[in-house]
Amino acid sequence: KAGVTQTPRYLIKTRGQQVTLSCSPISGHRSVSWYQQTPGQGLQFLFEYFSETQRNKGNFPGRFSGRQFSNSRSEMNVSTLELGDSALYLCASSLQGRDTQYFGPGTRLTVL
Amino acid sequence: QQQVKQSPQSLIVQKGGISIINCAYENTAFDYFPWYQQFPGKGPALLIAIRPDVSEKKEGRFTISFNKSAKQFSLHIMDSQPGDSATYFCAASMGYALNFGKGTSLLVTP
């Protein structure tokens, strides 16, 4: 089976812009979670989607949003980018959510 | 507030030695404790995981020891190899979100 894929792999934006990241889960997986990884804060949970519904949300501002499509693919959007949003954004998929999460390679976002 | 505390931050071990990484948690509702390995430029990959009904789980050279009363768990890497050089993260979960430790950078010297 193909693993979790994320596009794009690298992205450079300027402050104030918005960005959309995409994640394709492993075939058959219905749960998709998003995490932000930074050197200072480590890996932090953003949100989790299952069957197109957000089931869980981490402690991030409303500028961070996401959605899931009927084929389980997911997108996350960050609006009004700030310098502190520079991070590696990781997507993870699992069958139902409460089982093993498999991570993609991440999207490296740099905000200038 | 960091829900999972991990130590040490970095670790240097000679080839063939034992690498030990420790984690502690506060929330007794956590019921799933995985360890992830991450190489530069890659996403974290699941190494081994344990649930609180067992005190130890071994897979190859990797062993998780779990102490429910102390709210601590640790990863032991036996016969450490240079290829094990990576960042290791412990995590804890009670549902859908993984709460990660800050990570341990392991270097195994030849």
Side-chain angles (χ1 to χ4, degrees), chain A residues 56-112:
Chain A
N56 282 269
K57 190 176 191 305
N59 191 25
F60 278 81
R63 299 185 297 106
F64 292 82
S65 63
R67 60 177 176 168
Q68 186 180 34
F69 302 95
S70 58
N71 61 359
S72 294
R73 192 177 68 84
S74 177
E75 289 181 346
M76 71 163 276
N77 185 77
V78 188
S79 63
T80 319
L81 284 166
E82 300 177 0
L83 294 178
D85 296 333
S86 293
L88 180 67
Y89 289 89
L90 292 158
C91 164
S93 78
S94 67
L95 283 168
Q96 301 286 341
R98 287 186 62 89
D99 49 307
T100 301
Q101 294 191 25
Y102 297 88
F103 283 82
T107 294
R108 172 74 61 187
L109 172 65
T110 302
V111 182
L112 302 176

Side-chain angles (χ1 to χ4, degrees), chain B residues 69-100:
Chain B
S69 60
K71 292 186 285 186
Q72 294 175 349
F73 57 111
S74 60
L75 175 70
H76 294 229
I77 305 174
M78 313 300 286
D79 187 26
S80 298
Q81 299 296 312
D84 296 332
S85 297
T87 301
Y88 292 81
F89 294 93
C90 62
S93 173
M94 58 182 167
Y96 312 105
L98 290 169
N99 298 276
F100 284 92

Side-chain angles (χ1 to χ4, degrees), chain A residues 4-5 20 24 32 36-39 46-47 51 53 56 64 66 74 82 86-87 92 96 102-104 106:
Chain A
V4 178
T5 58
T20 299
S24 292
V32 173
Q36 181 195 63
Q37 185 174 23
T38 61
L46 280 155
F47 29 66
S51 291
T53 300
N56 282 269
F64 292 82
S74 177
E82 300 177 0
S86 293
Q96 301 286 341
Y102 297 88
F103 283 82

